[in-house]
Amino acid sequence: MNESTDLRAQLAQRNQQLQDVAAQLKTELFGIDAIIDRVIDSVRAWYVLPELVSRPVIVCLWGLTGTGKTQLVRRLTQLLGFYDRFVEVQMDGFSNGAGMRGAQSISGMLGRSGIREGEPGILALDEFQRFRTINAKRDEVRVERYQDVWALLSDGKLPPALSLLNDLESSIAEAAFDAERVDADADEAKLRFKLRSWEAQELQRTLKLDMPLMEIMAWTPDEVQARLRAFRDGQQQWETDYSRLLIFVCGNLDEMYEDLATSVDDCDSDADTFHAVTGKLSVIDVKQALNKRFKPEQVARLGNEHVVYPSLSRRAYEQLIEQGCARYARETEARCGLRFDITVSVREQIYANAVFPAQGTRPLFSSLHAILGAGLSKAVLWAIERGAGTGAEAGADVRITADGRGLIAHWRDESQAIAAPLEISRLRQRSNADFRALLAVHEAGHGLVHALLFGRAPREIKIHVASFEGGYNSYTSRKVWSRGNLLDSMCTSLAGRAAELLVFGSDMSSSGAESDLRKATGTAARMLRHLGHGSRIGRSDVSTSSDDNLCTDVDASNAPIEALLQAEHARATGLIETHRGALLALIDELMAHGQVTPERFAAVVGLPLDRPEDALDPYAERLAAFRASARARARPPRDPGDGRVPSAPLAVSITIGA
């Protein structure tokens, strides 16, 4: 009874500790609360009842760079009290001490750590994506380091380093041979053989010895051979047992994120757009990406506990910026005694110039230091020169604002412009009124027609763009594209050109529609040549690999493609003409603010735009209607004379012609 009570108390205590750890992590790591909960739940059994663990617990963390994977593992290890039983291995071969002997194997890294055999410990395998074992053609890649990781991931049992044992026996034999060659006696031969420190350390680990290294290094060749013979004869445990490890596998699987991971220059797309796209990834996406880098049996050894990090949301970045501003203000006050009020305008400019959604937090932290580190130092010098921090003004706040060109320090009734690296904001400024008007009309046309046809606003519309000269619309993706959806997509693609023609006339229609025409033409060609949405169903060019499929019989479909494009261009023009007021309202919003958010879009155009993002065509409704029709047809007619149902024909003849 007492044992049962003690066990319940222990379980309750450790569960509470895990809850406290989760709460602490959420105060330090922003935007990944769901990830933290998932990881805590994954390690619960290992932490609460380690006695029941019979094989390693493997948790895989995948995400874009700078999303906090390694930081979460390190901080979790600290909070759980395992900092002295923690090993972090960079799987690209650049771990601390990776050049030392024995450091090219996981067993060697564990052997030099504080993790003892058969006891709980934490192992982090970072940058795992660089450990690939196959190339793009699925040919095997030669990898010499850390090959024992697959045995560890399988069952936590590591085989001994037999190659080392063989090398030691070879060294003993060579020493004896050298002694015989110079006619030395047996005692001199023994003196010629000496264990080096790293060899003694490996023997200590492999043979599971408790004796000091100095004592092992003093062994004679006969003693070494006797120990090795006993080990090979199975007189002691053969494998090293690390079955109670908690193993974190961390990495960036760019294949899983398609083009997002390489969008290193995209500082214009809103972080929430990236967050929404990456938040839909699942374990299936992970396994498909892993299959491009590892053999199937190796993918299987990673298990199924794959935690996918979405890119950070806008709110997460804002929290990090707020935290960073508060820290810089606090540290500056501690050094010089001046209090700084860092206003919202500064935080907005930091976000605008520091957030690259595909690159995570690293650019943000470097920009924070560049903007505030130097900026506050300059503000301190200026404020002190004006008398701040002395006399009656001691402790008065110095207010810091920003205007897109730099920081501005305010004290009493004075202000001073302070240079700051806000280059992205300067790149976004469209000072040319004609260019702004052209971009606003073009992008408003796209956004309006998309909203009318798909029932929801674009994710974002922007004409203040730093990464290229132009503007863009961003739309939600669809799981299924029907023929009608594809036509609507073509109409949306052609709407920018249609808006330009309507507003500016044919002579001033710009070259900015080139990519739109290419996209619309590609959609039309795919409909007719690949998807069977035209008069022809079959294809004449099916290859063994889908990547090699090219339509070589194009003449017959050229005219229908052009007809589709003409029809959709005319439809876009008609929609824009019908909703001129909404078009002008969007143009005004873009001219004034450079962008239109979904919330502002709905307010500006005054259209019902409440269709859910994951909405499809009404397939279920059509199925129900078809089912009802089928039941009505299957119901046999009743004979009004006797109420009996006529019998069915006895046989049906079917002729199949050539």
Side-chain angles (χ1 to χ4, degrees):
M1 183 66 179
N2 289 335
E3 291 183 2
S4 176
T5 302
D6 292 343
L7 179 60
R8 284 199 298 271
Q10 174 186 328
L11 295 180
Q13 179 186 13
R14 291 189 176 179
N15 264 312
Q16 184 59 49
Q17 288 173 340
L18 276 181
Q19 293 178 20
D20 295 342
V21 167
Q24 180 62 30
L25 288 171
K26 290 176 183 178
T27 65
E28 300 177 11
L29 306 175
F30 299 125
I32 59 169
D33 285 6
I35 298 293
I36 292 171
D37 288 337
R38 173 88 179 271
V39 170
I40 291 295
D41 193 56
S42 299
V43 307
R44 190 177 304 279
W46 171 86
Y47 182 72
V48 173
L49 272 177
E51 298 83 1
L52 300 182
V53 175
S54 59
R55 59 190 309 113
V57 174
I58 304 170
V59 182
C60 301
L61 307 179
W62 308 108
L64 293 168
T65 182
T67 50
K69 303 180 294 295
T70 307
Q71 186 180 9
L72 172 59
V73 173
R74 291 172 179 171
R75 191 67 180 117
L76 175 65
T77 298
Q78 287 181 314
L79 294 174
L80 291 179
F82 274 77
Y83 53 88
D84 57 341
R85 288 164 287 170
F86 172 61
V87 176
E88 182 177 330
V89 180
Q90 298 293 317
M91 297 301 288
D92 56 5
F94 294 100
S95 303
N96 291 334
M100 298 173 58
R101 288 187 177 272
Q104 293 297 302
S105 67
I106 299 297
S107 59
M109 301 288 283
L110 290 171
R112 291 195 303 275
S113 73
I115 299 176
R116 299 180 63 85
E117 181 180 358
E119 295 183 0
I122 299 178
L123 170 65
L125 305 175
D126 206 1
E127 300 295 345
F128 200 84
Q129 80 282 357
R130 298 183 183 175
F131 189 60
R132 68 183 311 154
T133 57
I134 58 174
N135 60 23
K137 296 181 179 179
R138 302 200 67 79
D139 296 328
E140 188 169 349
V141 175
R142 181 177 176 82
V143 181
E144 296 182 355
R145 64 183 183 278
Y146 307 141
Q147 281 301 297
D148 53 348
V149 71
W150 303 113
L152 181 70
L153 292 172
S154 178
D155 59 6
K157 306 292 179 62
L158 287 174
L162 296 180
S163 60
L164 168 69
L165 307 187
N166 293 333
D167 290 344
L168 287 176
E169 289 187 326
S170 297
S171 298
I172 294 173
E174 289 174 1
F177 177 77
D178 290 342
E180 291 178 2
R181 190 172 56 184
V182 297
D183 296 327
D185 57 24
D187 291 336
E188 185 177 345
K190 293 177 181 178
L191 292 175
R192 286 176 178 270
F193 174 80
K194 292 291 183 182
L195 282 173
R196 287 165 287 187
S197 60
W198 68 268
E199 292 174 325
Q201 191 174 39
E202 288 297 309
L203 273 177
Q204 184 187 54
R205 181 181 60 82
T206 301
L207 304 184
K208 310 180 192 305
L209 303 173
D210 291 331
M211 61 184 61
L213 283 179
M214 291 295 293
E215 185 176 337
I216 297 174
M217 291 175 66
W219 282 355
T220 66
D222 292 340
E223 288 178 285
V224 173
Q225 286 182 315
R227 293 276 186 170
L228 296 181
R229 191 179 306 112
F231 180 76
R232 284 198 170 94
D233 291 343
Q235 297 178 12
Q236 65 181 86
Q237 183 179 342
W238 179 261
E239 297 172 314
T240 305
D241 183 7
Y242 288 112
S243 58
R244 289 185 176 175
L245 279 180
L246 169 60
I247 302 177
F248 285 101
V249 177
C250 307
N252 311 328
L253 292 177
D254 291 350
E255 298 91 339
M256 185 170 62
Y257 294 91
E258 297 180 349
D259 296 333
L260 295 182
T262 57
S263 301
V264 296
D265 60 342
D266 189 352
C267 56
D268 299 303
S269 295
D270 191 83
D272 285 339
T273 300
F274 275 77
H275 181 74
V277 173
T278 56
K280 296 178 181 179
L281 297 171
S282 68
V283 64
I284 303 302
D285 300 293
V286 171
K287 286 184 177 284
Q288 289 174 344
L290 288 172
N291 190 47
K292 297 178 181 179
R293 292 177 177 263
F294 302 98
K295 301 174 184 177
E297 64 272 18
Q298 294 169 339
V299 176
R301 295 191 183 198
L302 292 172
N304 287 330
E305 194 63 58
H306 295 283
V307 181
V308 182
Y309 274 64
S311 64
L312 295 180
S313 66
R314 182 183 184 92
R315 181 55 189 151
Y317 281 115
E318 289 172 345
Q319 288 178 302
L320 288 170
I321 292 170
E322 290 170 5
Q323 183 187 62
C325 289
R327 178 172 62 83
Y328 274 98
R330 185 170 59 251
E331 292 175 352
T332 305
E333 180 181 359
R335 288 196 301 268
C336 64
L338 291 177
R339 290 200 308 266
F340 281 87
D341 174 19
I342 301 176
T343 63
V344 173
S345 62
V346 176
R347 298 198 292 270
E348 290 175 345
Q349 286 301 319
I350 292 174
Y351 183 96
N353 288 269
V355 173
F356 288 71
Q359 294 190 280
T361 59
R362 292 186 178 94
L364 171 61
F365 292 143
S366 63
S367 295
L368 265 170
H369 179 72
I371 295 170
L372 288 184
L376 291 185
S377 297
K378 295 175 184 176
V380 167
L381 292 175
W382 172 80
I384 290 177
E385 289 174 356
R386 293 297 181 277
T390 60
E393 300 295 341
D397 289 349
V398 178
R399 191 163 56 93
I400 305 295
T401 62
D403 62 359
R405 294 183 297 273
L407 302 179
I408 306 171
H410 306 268
W411 183 72
R412 297 173 64 182
D413 296 328
E414 300 181 67
S415 61
Q416 173 69 25
I418 297 174
L422 304 180
E423 183 180 1
I424 302 298
S425 289
R426 290 190 286 272
L427 289 173
R428 288 194 177 105
Q429 295 172 6
R430 299 282 188 249
S431 57
N432 188 304
D434 292 328
F435 192 39
R436 286 169 58 83
L438 174 61
L439 292 178
V441 169
H442 187 98
E443 299 304 334
H446 283 309
L448 176 61
V449 171
H450 176 272
L452 292 169
L453 296 179
F454 289 96
R456 57 178 175 268
R459 279 182 171 169
E460 53 182 341
I461 309 177
K462 289 187 177 181
I463 63 170
H464 287 177
V465 181
S467 51
F468 64 96
E469 286 288 336
Y472 70 89
N473 273 253
S474 174
Y475 314 118
T476 54
S477 59
R478 298 181 68 87
K479 294 180 180 179
V480 178
W481 288 86
S482 67
R483 184 179 186 277
N485 299 151
L486 292 170
L487 292 174
D488 291 344
S489 175
M490 290 169 52
C491 188
T492 300
S493 297
L494 297 169
R497 184 176 188 272
E500 286 189 31
L501 288 171
L502 184 64
V503 176
F504 304 126
S506 59
D507 290 342
M508 293 177 60
S509 179
S510 75
S511 59
E514 180 182 0
S515 61
D516 298 333
L517 296 176
R518 183 169 60 248
K519 180 179 178 182
T521 304
T523 302
R526 184 165 173 260
M527 284 179 61
L528 300 183
R529 295 171 179 167
H530 295 257
L531 303 180
H533 287 322
S535 59
R536 299 175 58 183
I537 296 178
R539 293 182 49 161
S540 58
D541 62 324
V542 178
S543 304
T544 303
S545 172
S546 60
D547 294 336
D548 297 331
N549 283 338
L550 296 173
C551 189
T552 55
D553 184 16
V554 298
D555 290 342
S557 54
N558 281 339
I561 287 173
E562 179 61 25
L564 276 179
L565 294 173
Q566 292 285 356
E568 293 308 316
H569 190 279
R571 183 159 70 121
T573 301
L575 289 170
I576 294 172
E577 285 183 329
T578 303
H579 297 84
R580 284 178 179 238
L583 177 73
L584 289 171
L586 286 174
I587 292 171
D588 292 342
E589 184 77 9
L590 286 168
M591 294 285 284
H593 304 289
Q595 64 177 347
V596 184
T597 64
E599 295 75 16
R600 284 294 300 162
F601 191 104
V604 165
V605 301
L607 296 171
L609 303 175
D610 54 356
R611 190 177 301 173
E613 282 195 4
D614 58 351
L616 300 178
D617 288 340
Y619 290 107
E621 181 182 322
R622 293 288 180 90
L623 174 59
F626 180 82
R627 191 186 306 280
S629 175
R631 286 173 179 168
R633 290 189 179 190
R635 190 178 301 119
R638 300 179 65 86
D639 187 339
D642 57 9
R644 291 181 297 173
V645 177
S647 60
L650 295 178
V652 176
S653 176
I654 301 177
T655 302
I656 302 177

